Amino acid sequence: LMDLAEMLARARLYVGADSGPQHLASAVGVPSVALHGERDPAIYAPCNPRSRVVRGFLPDGKPSTLAIEVETVLEAVRSLLGERTIWHNPALA
């Protein structure tokens, strides 16, 4: 657990599901994007002001991580790191 905390503390950003590593990243002060599904982010979201929560909803209105759009996650990342810090790989364009 301490090794993971040390590794996360060196990261520029953490993106991941509502999980232990997500909360550990938040606890060590890493900007993070928390992907939430069924668990209510009002209760389970990270307490770090440098965190963003992204939540998706299925057509029937049920929350689900399966409904999270990539662009929505990128918007959250941009809000934390700024537009110019988003990588671009011309080989993937």
Side-chain angles (χ1 to χ4, degrees):
L1 193 56
M2 294 304 292
D3 289 342
L4 178 57
E6 185 176 328
M7 182 181 69
L8 289 169
R10 295 177 186 197
R12 289 185 58 213
L13 175 75
Y14 180 87
V15 177
D18 175 33
S19 64
Q22 159 63 84
H23 292 282
L24 189 54
S26 177
V28 297
V30 176
S32 59
V33 178
L35 310 177
H36 277 257
E38 293 180 6
R39 290 171 47 119
D40 185 355
I43 298 169
Y44 297 104
C47 296
N48 183 342
R50 296 177 56 195
S51 295
R52 302 292 182 270
V53 172
V54 176
R55 197 172 192 199
F57 292 88
L58 298 171
D60 63 5
K62 292 182 180 177
S64 174
T65 54
L66 298 175
I68 295 173
E69 299 287 333
V70 171
E71 188 58 40
T72 306
V73 176
L74 286 174
E75 287 174 18
V77 168
R78 287 182 186 112
S79 78
L80 289 167
L81 298 182
E83 182 71 32
R84 64 181 174 210
T85 62
I86 303 300
W87 62 95
H88 174 72
N89 184 341
L92 300 176

